[in-house]
Amino acid sequence: MKNQKTPHLGLLALFLFACLVFAAPVKAEAASFKQCSRDTKIGKYYIWSDYATKSIRISKSKSGNGSPLVQASSGHNMANACISDGSTVYYAEMGSLNSSGTYTGYVYKIKVNGKSKSKVGSIKNTSGPTAYYKGYLYLDCYDKKDPTLLHTYRMDVKKGASKRAIKSARVVEQSGRYLLAMPNTGAVGPLNLYVYDCKTGKSTRITTKASSGHISGNKIYYSEYVAGEYSSSSTFRIRSCSLTGKNKKTLLKKLQGSRTGIITSKNVYYILFDSKGNINYYRYDFKSKKTVKITQTKFKW
């Protein structure tokens, strides 16, 4: 009887490793919800709320009018905001105004194929959902006494129950459990900037002098007014902090501009009005410490 050859140990180890890899179940990472707009592609689609046609519209193209995904119910208007993960869309319809100037908002969800529409709940004065985290929707809701002021409310998608989460601020960006929020006034002057922890239900005020704030990677980048508030030429300080609002670091002590746009670890975009009132667009690089004048199309808000 011939001697049997012993398998090569390296090949045997590789075979066993392959068996483990292909046999182990792979847990797919859930897609995150994003704020919809005509210019934002989520999954395969551009999705947006169209007040004029009282519909949520959807398209695979960045141009054109798209097609209606869902039409508002009779007597209702479509709220401004909606969110999607590329598969499901959360949106809101606005009922008619009552004598006190308020209205009931009706929150729904629907699949991007137009099927499985269901009502999530109702809430007063909503302008629509802006974020989602583990079974909770976050929605813009107008103040009952001041129709120009928005608060952020949290709604349980299973029960439909809601309560206020952030006072006098709306969600502008999300990174997992953290929501970045600012007042909706659009004022040129200093604004509060908050980070809200969806897991703990607590908000932290990062600054009272913000011009803009953005999430990039695992950090928050923001600009603070140093001088020249409420004017066309201001001095800003560019800073960063952790997603919890801690570990603040100054990236640039002084930046002369009119408004700031997107800020990342690499650069900050800003605009500056000249003496004739024309807008000039710039990008400052933190590493090279140089400013480059750019076109409007390359500018990022």
Side-chain angles (χ1 to χ4, degrees):
M1 183 175 177
K2 293 183 179 181
N3 292 330
Q4 292 182 343
K5 291 184 179 181
T6 303
H8 190 278
L9 292 178
L11 293 175
L12 180 60
L14 185 60
F15 173 76
L16 292 173
F17 175 75
C19 290
L20 287 172
V21 169
F22 290 106
V26 178
K27 186 178 181 181
E29 185 177 349
S32 58
F33 279 84
K34 297 179 182 179
Q35 294 183 12
C36 300
S37 78
R38 188 63 186 88
D39 299 319
T40 303
K41 191 173 186 179
I42 304 175
K44 298 178 180 179
Y45 304 99
Y46 295 89
I47 305 165
W48 68 99
S49 174
D50 187 65
Y51 188 85
T53 60
K54 299 181 180 181
S55 65
I56 298 293
R57 305 190 75 80
I58 188 168
S59 175
K60 286 189 175 181
S61 171
K62 195 174 182 179
S63 60
N65 295 322
S67 57
L69 174 66
V70 63
Q71 203 76 32
S73 305
S74 178
H76 291 181
N77 284 313
M78 197 63 74
N80 295 326
C82 58
I83 61 172
S84 177
D85 63 350
S87 175
T88 299
V89 180
Y90 284 97
Y91 69 97
E93 297 180 11
M94 302 183 298
S96 56
L97 287 173
N98 57 33
S99 57
S100 62
T102 62
Y103 62 88
T104 299
Y106 303 92
V107 184
Y108 296 91
K109 68 175 181 178
I110 191 171
K111 293 293 184 181
V112 292
N113 60 8
K115 298 179 180 180
S116 303
K117 176 185 173 181
S118 63
K119 183 179 177 181
V120 177
S122 58
I123 186 171
K124 293 291 185 181
N125 301 341
T126 186
S127 179
T130 55
Y132 174 91
Y133 182 77
K134 291 189 175 182
Y136 288 93
L137 273 178
Y138 294 84
L139 305 106
D140 284 347
C141 292
Y142 290 104
D143 186 86
K144 295 179 181 179
K145 296 181 179 180
D146 183 357
T148 65
L149 179 64
L150 285 171
H151 306 291
T152 296
Y153 277 72
R154 186 178 75 170
M155 175 180 285
D156 187 319
V157 297
K158 291 183 178 180
K159 300 178 181 178
S162 59
K163 66 176 182 179
R164 191 170 67 186
I166 314 172
K167 183 180 179 181
S168 303
R170 70 178 303 271
V171 176
V172 292
E173 290 185 17
Q174 177 178 7
S175 177
R177 62 190 272 192
Y178 298 102
L179 310 178
L180 195 64
M182 294 180 74
N184 65 297
T185 60
V188 176
L191 297 170
N192 288 313
L193 178 67
Y194 303 93
V195 60
Y196 176 88
D197 188 336
C198 297
K199 191 173 181 179
T200 64
K202 295 181 179 180
S203 61
T204 300
R205 187 168 61 186
I206 298 171
T207 179
T208 61
K209 297 182 178 182
S211 171
S212 65
H214 307 277
I215 298 175
S216 181
N218 61 351
K219 289 186 178 181
I220 296 170
Y221 296 88
Y222 61 100
S223 61
E224 287 182 318
Y225 283 92
V226 176
E229 297 93 334
Y230 307 105
S231 67
S232 59
S233 180
S234 304
T235 303
F236 300 99
R237 176 171 59 175
I238 311 302
R239 309 194 76 188
S240 68
C241 66
S242 66
L243 292 175
T244 62
K246 299 179 180 179
N247 304 316
K248 295 179 180 179
K249 180 181 178 181
T250 299
L251 304 177
L252 183 62
K253 290 183 178 180
K254 290 184 178 181
L255 176 70
Q256 201 72 29
S258 303
R259 294 291 293 271
T260 55
I262 286 287
I263 308 170
T264 68
S265 61
K266 295 182 179 180
N267 44 50
V268 52
Y269 290 79
Y270 68 98
I271 63 172
L272 183 62
F273 291 96
D274 61 22
S275 58
K276 296 181 180 180
N278 298 314
I279 303 176
N280 296 293
Y281 301 88
Y282 299 93
R283 183 181 65 240
Y284 176 87
D285 185 276
F286 294 124
K287 187 176 181 180
S288 66
K289 298 182 180 180
K290 292 182 179 180
T291 297
V292 178
K293 189 174 183 180
I294 59 176
T295 61
Q296 182 181 1
T297 56
K298 292 184 177 181
F299 189 82
K300 296 180 181 181
W301 283 107

